[in-house]
Amino acid sequence: MVDAEPLVRVRGAAKAFGGVQALRDASLELFAGEVHALLGENGAGKSTLLKVLAGVHRTDAGEVTIGGGPFEQGSTRRSREQGVAVIYQEPSLFPDLSLAENVFIGRQPVTGRGAVDWARMRQEAAALFGQLGVDLDPDRPARGLSIADQQIVEIAKALSTDARVIVMDEPTAALSASESERLLDVARRLRDGGAAVVFVSHRLDEVFALCDRLTVMRDGATVRTSTVEGTDAGEVVRWMVGRELTDLFPKTETTTGDVVLRVRGLTTDGVFDDVSFDVRAGEIVAFAGLVGSGRSEVVRAVFGIDRYDSGSVEVLGAPLPPADPRAALARGVALVPEDRRQQGLFMPASIARNTAVVVLSRLARRGVVRERAERELAAHWAQRLQLRHGGLDQPVERLSGGNQQKVVLAKWLATDPRLLVVDEPTRGIDVGTKAEVHRLLSEQAGRGLAVLMVSSELPEVLGMADRVLVMREGRLMATLDRDEATQERVMLAATGQASVAGEGSAA
Amino acid sequence: MNGGLRRVLAGREAPVAGALLVVLAVTTAVNPRFLSDQGRFDLLVAIAITGLMAVGQTFVLVMRHVDLSVGSVLGLSAFMAGSAVRGDTGGPLVLALLVGVVVGVLAGLVNGALVAFLRLPALVVTLGTLYVFQGVQALLTGGTRINADQLPSSVVGFGVTGFLGVPWLMWVCLLAAALGGVFLRTRRSGRDLYAVGSNPPAAELVGIPVARRTLLAYMVSGACAGGAGVLFLARFGGVDSNAGIGYELPVVAACVVGGVNIFGGSGTVLGALLGAMLLKTMGVSLSALSVPEFWQQAINGLLLLVAITADRVVLLRRERAARVEAARHRREQADAEPAPPAAGAESPGHEGATTTEVVR
Amino acid sequence: MSRVLSWDRSVFVLLVVTVAVGAVVDPDFAGGSNLGFVLQDIGEIMLIALPMTFLIMTGEIDLSVASTAALAGCVLGWAWQASGSMAVAVLAAVGTGVVCGAVNGFLVTRLGLGSLAVTIGTLGLYRGLCYALLGDTTVADFPAGWTNLGFSSIPGTPLPYVTPLLVVLAIVFGVVLHLTRTGRWVFAVGQSVEAARFAGIPVARLKFRLFVVTGAVAGLAGVVYDLRFASARPDGALGFELAVIASVLFGGVSIFGGVGTMWGVVSAVLFLGSVRSLLQLQGVPGNALTIITGGLLLASVVIPVVAQRWSAFRERRGRALAAAAP
């Protein structure tokens, strides 16, 4: 069932963004009629490689061929015309248009007079849905469609354009078990129809259930390509992780104090379910798990950005009112959000303004914010965090990612919190700054601050945390102490190979 | 057919049409002269101008833009068209219509180019051109006005006669609505307008020529406003420098009441036309009911608020229902979650592992 | 745009140049009575532009301000006739503005409706209520002591009585916008609603209050308008909303929120008033002056975009040339 000649061949692909080498030496061979898993940790370069195929990025070096000829890069339109279709984790449909029209937009079947042939379009869409084995009404608008069904619509669109290569970028991350099962069925049908399917997933059970071959990437390069048959999960995890913990994590030993944050039975329907844990003063607790496992949602609910359905949150022994970030702030909770640019910073505003925005009343005298106090505050934190900047009036949009993150940290540390929640504190920042952020967090914990950290980077989790909470699909799967947390254990608990997970459950 | 009928009844137009019928019925019951031949004729004349502009505005609104300059375009086009046919000999009606529409298209081109190619916010652009076109008209007229005795009888007569009991002005409006409706419903490029308004980045991604479609929508809106200028000229038998001032917001209101979403993506020409009919009919019926006519504006505003609030409530309900449904679905599945399949259970039959170490 | 010649500074320079040029070409222009006339002419626009700046900075808009002003003006007339006390009437008028603003704010922040659509609706609603209150009549029997405030000058100066009100309110609004926590919040919300929520800023409450303040000031503008014309009319302040918004945007406030200065807006209102007056004195017909308003409004959005594209083009060409060089 695998042809001799690959349909797509990527050899030695390299791509840099600014100073970051996203791809160094990526290779991939796809054959017609196979489902091919692309695996790797966050930041291994999978997404960049997929975006090359999607026509979003262009490689700096290396060779990409399709059907034996050169693949024309850098245009999403040309990618589609060459037979590549990408199904993103969260598709972007037209909410007001019918499903049929979403499938055929711009290519609607027309009558002899050039009018859109609604009946035929409906039929063809229904036929495509039938071919995929799903029961969707082609006439209903896309608004309110579940993510699983939105993906099906995108796949139907790919089928209608006769795509030969269908790339699915973590399609099951946001799906329930039976939705995922249906998607796997669809992928098998596509394979049996002769397409080459690329399947990116962190759920190894799915990979083993679905895929024929797998390629593992690490640090921007392909490390291995193998058949799935004869390979076991532990092996794959080792290829993905593949390094010793050589990075130095400046873990300060501290004595833990009283419980600062107590969360019990926190539940939001369909997002996270019955989550309970404690964070003590002087302790760093890490939330590990896959993207989409509900970790960010939990900390957002704790801080009061989102409402939750049931459960309780206590800070220093007193309940925290739900959905009220100001109350959380007043009680000494600070949240460094996941998305620095959208949630953490006011990009056009200056370093000083960003640093001071949460503590303005403290800086005001008779209602007037004292610019001098504001600048002194910013200068103090800029020095403490060794911020590299061109003046405190510089807009933060001109800073590097690492320095932007320092401004966000400064802004929240300036509130003098008792509990610091950090969501992906080192995402997308350079190695040097990463180490500085780690040192800072350890130091703060050493002074008795309670730290709750969400991180998708295993070395960071293992190097920093006193305790590791592993989430999977909205549930707390394991609680591991520092000495029992290993890369394999965390990975396996996060991907659902529960047999290997640690014994501890929620406190 | 059956599905078509269901769509009409479930659509956003049905309640507007229903409200219109109620207003007509109540008013006629109280004052039978309301729908006499003359009464009906006057009512339709009153609807035609706003209706025509609402047809054009629909094109712009579904794209998530807005055209506030339509009132000024109306004034400018009425004056240019009137000037073109004014005089002793008097040009034909067709010339007036042609001039009016061309003026409108040119104005739409200006708006569309600024919005489509410079990517400027439509609200600011068309607010600016509202003033500019109004000023241009004032400069051209120099404070003079065109009176009925300066206009050829073909133009003036056009405003007071009809065909099959329906005024010519309304025929123009209906023709534009039919053409516009068919275009938006059946042409690929017409469907593109909805796609752009529904999700602009996705529209770019699937390769819709967004700038060209934007330009088209503004030209249609301009053409309708230009045509409405000629209708204005015919209806009032003249034009002065105040023509069209303040028309823009009632036109937008008519569209929104008729179900055209001000945030783009949905709404039909039929709905916009019904919206215009409802608002205008309310106004005329108030005087037929001897209610002081000045309540009309308050009721128009209130209707607009009711329409957007109702749309919002319906949307929120649907979204909440979808969320609850999804949560229920998830819970059911969680309860019946299948055990994870054993590693490699369904892998196709390869002979052992053929691992290749990639050269690094 | 270079930092030295920011938009608000450019508008201020334009204002100075216009006044200087006007003084040279037309002695009447710089005369005290004309300057007083300009101030009086722009009074209501300036008043409403102050809170409108805040609203647009947060990414909202209020098109109902002129109708609110007119309704407050009608309430002034009605309450004066009903109570015989001007103090009561003024309070009622400003209170009307507060209620109008609160209705807008409720619909936008509680029901989550778009402010553009909402205020198009209340624009019609409030204007309709004007007619409902006064019919086609006008109230013109305000006490002379009060109407003198509206159209005569402060003794010994060419300045109308509205001047101190404008100066005080402009300073208050400027101070709040640029120096207080509320002002910082306004900038923050305009730059990123999401980041503002994460920073604990009460976004909905802030916006609601801004709508209320806008209504209150529009109500005050309605009183000023009535006193200026010594009558309350249901068609008062017609079309002012667009002039206000044009001034605010020309003053350098971004329609997308987050950018702007109060003195840019104040300069813009004064500049537009001066240009209108100057052209009027030169015999340009009043209706044609709208070209200036519209043209400047367009310029305020076109120039930055064109400048940015031009500099991007030059940068690209510079790189291409550098790459081509050996």
Side-chain angles (χ1 to χ4, degrees), chain B residues 317-344:
Chain B
R317 279 232 184 109
R318 278 203 195 132
E319 281 181 352
R320 190 184 317 149
R323 222 178 24 245
V324 169
E325 171 63 20
R328 193 185 56 79
H329 193 65
R330 269 172 182 273
R331 258 198 311 277
E332 277 176 13
Q333 275 163 3
D335 293 341
E337 191 148 329

Side-chain angles (χ1 to χ4, degrees), chain B residues 263 304-317 319-320, chain C residues 60 102-115 118 122 204 208 211:
Chain B
F263 297 118
L304 174 67
L305 293 176
V306 168
I308 56 175
T309 307
D311 284 348
R312 174 82 183 159
V313 168
V314 168
L315 181 71
L316 286 180
R317 279 232 184 109
E319 281 181 352
R320 190 184 317 149
Chain C
E60 301 291 346
V103 169
N104 288 333
F106 175 82
L107 291 169
V108 172
T109 61
R110 295 298 128 138
L111 296 189
L113 303 173
S115 54
V118 163
T122 53
F208 179 80
F211 274 106

Side-chain angles (χ1 to χ4, degrees), chain A residues 305 326 342-343 369 374 412, chain C residues 179 184 192 194 197 200:
Chain A
I305 297 291
R326 293 191 68 68
Q342 301 288 328
Q343 302 166 339
V369 176
E374 188 179 58
W412 288 108
Chain C
L179 298 181
R184 298 289 163 91
S192 169
E194 208 184 349
R197 287 182 61 218

Side-chain angles (χ1 to χ4, degrees), chain A residues 229-296:
Chain A
E229 175 90 7
T231 306
D232 70 54
E235 220 173 342
V236 173
V237 168
R238 273 193 297 282
W239 292 336
M240 283 163 65
V241 177
R243 60 169 119 56
E244 299 306 311
L245 278 180
T246 49
D247 306 287
L248 270 180
F249 287 93
K251 179 75 191 130
T252 323
E253 287 306 323
T254 57
T255 47
T256 54
D258 297 337
V259 172
V260 176
L261 175 70
R262 168 164 299 179
V263 175
R264 286 294 175 273
L266 206 65
T267 302
T268 292
D269 280 345
V271 183
F272 49 82
D273 191 19
D274 194 20
V275 174
S276 303
F277 59 91
D278 292 341
V279 184
R280 291 169 178 279
E283 183 184 45
I284 299 182
V285 174
F287 254 130
L290 304 178
V291 174
S293 58
R295 300 165 301 166
S296 296

Side-chain angles (χ1 to χ4, degrees), chain A residues 450-471:
Chain A
V451 178
L452 176 61
M453 174 176 82
V454 174
S455 172
S456 297
E457 298 204 18
L458 265 183
E460 179 170 284
V461 167
L462 299 176
M464 299 288 299
D466 295 297
R467 259 182 319 131
V468 182
L469 312 173
V470 188
M471 280 191 77

Side-chain angles (χ1 to χ4, degrees), chain A residues 96 101 108 116 176 178 212, chain B residues 186 188 191 198 333 348 356-357:
Chain A
D96 302 289
E101 202 162 13
Q108 296 98 328
V116 171
S176 71
S178 76
D212 305 301
Chain B
T186 70
R188 280 180 182 169
R191 304 309 299 167
S198 196
Q333 275 163 3
T356 47
E357 181 83 23

Side-chain angles (χ1 to χ4, degrees), chain C residues 86-229:
Chain C
M86 272 311 271
V88 169
V90 168
L91 274 181
V94 175
T96 303
V98 168
V99 172
C100 290
V103 169
N104 288 333
F106 175 82
L107 291 169
V108 172
T109 61
R110 295 298 128 138
L111 296 189
L113 303 173
S115 54
L116 182 65
V118 163
T119 57
I120 287 177
T122 53
L123 175 155
L125 179 63
Y126 300 158
R127 179 68 68 180
L129 293 177
C130 294
Y131 287 96
L133 197 64
L134 290 190
D136 281 330
T137 63
T138 59
V139 175
D141 59 348
F142 292 121
W146 284 80
T147 52
N148 278 341
L149 288 178
F151 48 71
S152 50
S153 307
I154 300 171
T157 70
L159 301 174
Y161 277 103
V162 75
T163 316
L165 183 66
L166 293 181
V167 171
V168 168
L169 280 186
I171 290 174
V172 167
F173 276 86
V175 165
V176 171
L177 183 63
H178 293 294
L179 298 181
T180 68
R181 187 179 73 163
T182 304
R184 298 289 163 91
W185 281 359
V186 166
F187 276 94
V189 169
Q191 284 161 356
S192 169
V193 171
E194 208 184 349
R197 287 182 61 218
F198 274 88
I201 297 172
V203 178
R205 201 163 72 206
L206 178 69
K207 284 184 177 177
F208 179 80
R209 288 181 182 173
L210 292 182
F211 274 106
V212 171
V213 171
T214 305
V217 175
L220 192 60
V223 174
V224 171
Y225 186 89
D226 275 8
L227 296 182
R228 174 148 75 103
F229 293 100

